[in-house]
């Protein structure tokens, strides 16, 4: 029995969720190919090309009404560009690492600022209680 329209929509929604869940941090899993599947340079290129075409048909915003479809297309296109090319892959990994470190520093700085603000608020509260 051929798949119904509801089955196709469900498959498309699940594809978008899978791609976005793994995101840019794990491109292999985002497009559904194993990271350590014994790929050779020639066969990973063909496998990535095949899988990204399949996914783009499922996740493209013209065929998928998910609000995350655009983000999923960006991730799949990045995977298609980066995974077959070792140099592009290293650059992608370095960029992700820099972003992660930058995010960590930003969170640490925000935590310090919040602690200072909290301390200042307590000090002001004590001073206003003394005045009253």
């Amino acid at each position: 029995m051929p798949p119904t329209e509801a089955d196709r929509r469900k498959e498309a929604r699940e594809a978008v969720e899978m791609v976005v869940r793994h995101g840019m941090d794990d491109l292999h899993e985002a497009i559904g190919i194993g990271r350590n599947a014994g790929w050779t340079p020639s066969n990973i290129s063909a496998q990535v090309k095949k899988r990204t075409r399949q996914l783009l048909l499922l996740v493209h915003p013209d065929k998928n009404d998910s609000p995350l479809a655009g983000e999923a297309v960006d991730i799949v296109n990045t995977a298609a560009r980066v995974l077959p090319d070792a140099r592009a892959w290293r650059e992608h990994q370095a960029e992700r690492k820099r972003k992660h470190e930058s995010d960590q520093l930003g969170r640490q700085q925000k935590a310090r600022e919040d602690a200072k603000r909290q301390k200042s608020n307590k000090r002001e509260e004590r001073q206003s209680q003394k005045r009253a």
Side-chain angles (χ1 to χ4, degrees):
M1 185 164 112
T4 65
E5 186 61 29
D7 292 337
R8 286 189 194 105
R9 275 195 228 116
K10 181 181 177 191
E11 181 185 12
R13 273 194 313 274
E14 289 171 352
V16 168
E17 289 170 5
M18 177 191 70
V19 169
V20 173
R21 180 176 57 244
H22 292 289
M24 294 286 192
D25 292 328
D26 193 351
L27 293 176
H28 290 87
E29 292 297 325
I31 66 168
I33 63 171
R35 179 182 299 269
N36 298 320
W39 302 116
T40 62
S42 61
N43 104 357
I44 193 168
S45 181
Q47 188 67 25
V48 166
K49 188 175 185 178
K50 178 181 175 184
R51 186 63 184 143
T52 55
R53 282 183 181 170
Q54 291 170 345
L55 279 174
L56 285 173
L57 289 173
L58 289 172
V59 303
H60 197 279
D62 290 345
K63 300 197 182 234
N64 192 319
D65 57 359
S66 170
L68 298 173
E71 183 180 349
V73 168
D74 291 342
I75 293 167
V76 172
N77 282 331
T78 300
R81 178 180 51 82
V82 167
L83 291 178
D85 182 358
R87 182 174 167 196
W89 173 247
R90 284 192 302 275
E91 290 171 2
H92 173 78
Q93 290 295 90
E95 179 182 329
R96 299 303 298 169
K97 184 177 179 183
R98 280 192 302 274
K99 184 181 183 317
H100 178 71
E101 289 169 351
S102 173
D103 289 348
Q104 278 186 320
L105 289 174
R107 284 192 295 274
Q108 289 171 353
Q109 183 177 358
K110 185 180 182 315
R112 283 192 298 272
E113 290 171 358
D114 288 347
K116 282 182 183 179
R117 194 175 305 113
Q118 202 172 33
K119 190 175 181 179
S120 175
N121 288 344
K122 284 181 182 180
R123 188 178 325 122
E124 289 174 9
E125 188 178 306
R126 282 190 303 248
Q127 288 174 352
S128 66
Q129 287 175 352
K130 285 181 182 178
R131 287 183 214 142

